Amino acid sequence: MVIGLFITIDGIDGCGSTTHSKLLAGFLENKGYNVFLTREPTNSEIGKLLRIYLKNDKIPPETDALLFAADRSYHYLIDIKEKQEDGFIVISDRYKEASIVYQSVQSERISTKWIEEINKFAQDPDITIILDIDPAISLSRKTQKDLEKFENTPFLDKVREIYLERAKSQNYYVINSDDIIEFVQGKIQKLVLKHLKQKA
Ligand SMILES: Nc1ncnc2c1ncn2[C@@H]1O[C@H](COP(=O)(O)OP(=O)(O)O)[C@@H](O)[C@H]1O
Ligand SMILES: [Mg+2]
């Protein structure tokens, strides 16, 4: 089936973006679609560096934002665009929205406008799904070793607020992920199937 849909799943840490991206990919593959599952930071050298920097408090948020934008332009132009053109359903576990929200919350010097500007070569997805959850719950799902520099409740409360504001102004889908996995995944599948029907 040739379809070329680009979906991203985003939200605060521990919201379940990785869990649900994987489950959605499996579900759509079973339905006979060609699916390309990918994630950010990517597995490129830039993405690997980012994963190290995300554990380091001393790295300025501007540096993170620029590296994310570099990783993303590569990700979009080399991977995503090509797969989309080949008719794949592309699912990215986090994408542009994470940068816009996380890096702008970290510093008053960083505006969402600037982050949008440095990310302008990476096209917007067709569907952006924000998984919404209380940070106190999402953090309790993570192990200590997985925690990154901004994974604390007050910071994530602010991040959550900005995700919800952005979802409203940009017309993103918001799905509550404080529920059993199957139930949350069911809602995601229903939403994506509706889009696929409209495209067919
Ligand atoms: N709805 C849920 N209920 C309980 N645990 C969940 C739920 N969604 C995800 N998890 C668990 O929470 C942890 C973090 O989920 P993950 O998908 O890695 O989040 P993220 O990628 O958004 O940080 C994982 O161990 C996952 O199995
Ligand atoms: Mg994840």
Side-chain angles (χ1 to χ4, degrees):
M1 271 185 259
V2 173
I3 203 91
L5 192 72
F6 178 18
I7 304 165
T8 65
I9 302 185
D10 222 307
I12 65 166
D13 285 277
C15 68
S17 70
T18 300
T19 305
H20 288 291
S21 297
K22 284 183 187 158
L23 289 172
L24 180 65
F27 170 76
L28 293 171
E29 267 167 4
N30 279 336
K31 289 223 167 265
Y33 293 101
N34 288 325
V35 179
F36 177 63
L37 174 62
T38 183
R39 63 166 189 174
E40 289 193 359
T42 68
N43 294 326
S44 74
E45 295 306 314
I46 310 169
K48 283 181 199 153
L49 182 63
L50 261 171
R51 284 180 197 281
I52 297 168
Y53 279 11
L54 289 175
K55 302 223 174 273
N56 184 341
D57 287 335
K58 293 202 178 70
I59 306 295
E62 290 85 345
T63 307
D64 284 343
L66 289 164
L67 280 175
F68 266 113
D71 189 40
R72 185 165 302 116
S73 63
Y74 176 90
H75 189 202
Y76 179 72
L77 294 168
I78 303 287
D79 272 346
I80 296 174
K81 189 164 174 274
E82 206 159 292
K83 291 288 185 198
Q84 237 184 322
E85 285 166 2
D86 286 345
F88 280 72
I89 296 180
V90 178
I91 302 172
S92 188
D93 172 7
R94 301 183 185 282
Y95 189 63
K96 232 189 251 195
E97 202 52 34
S99 273
I100 292 174
V101 175
Y102 272 85
Q103 270 78 49
S104 70
V105 172
Q106 280 179 82
S107 164
E108 281 180 3
R109 299 185 302 269
I110 303 179
S111 67
T112 54
K113 224 173 159 180
W114 176 69
I115 303 172
E116 281 174 329
E117 180 65 19
I118 60 174
N119 282 284
K120 71 178 177 191
F121 300 110
Q123 215 175 68
D124 289 338
D126 299 303
I127 305 176
T128 298
I129 299 169
I130 307 298
L131 296 178
D132 181 50
I133 190 165
D134 185 331
I137 299 167
S138 73
L139 283 184
S140 71
R141 292 176 176 174
K142 294 229 150 190
T143 60
Q144 204 58 38
K145 134 181 135 7
D146 286 338
L147 293 182
E148 289 169 356
K149 63 187 168 195
F150 25 65
E151 296 185 340
N152 61 77
T153 310
F155 176 75
L156 288 180
D157 277 331
K158 186 76 192 145
V159 169
R160 180 190 193 193
E161 191 187 312
I162 306 293
Y163 264 120
L164 292 176
E165 269 175 25
R166 291 268 311 165
K168 224 180 215 168
S169 69
Q170 308 294 312
N171 271 325
Y172 297 148
Y173 294 98
V174 178
I175 290 180
N176 171 24
S177 66
D178 176 16
D179 214 323
I180 55 169
I181 293 179
E182 291 75 10
F183 190 72
V184 177
Q185 178 60 206
K187 288 202 252 182
I188 296 173
Q189 290 171 359
K190 201 168 149 200
L191 192 156
V192 171
L193 286 180
K194 202 174 106 198
H195 269 264
L196 288 170
K197 260 196 206 129
Q198 283 166 357
K199 265 205 150 201

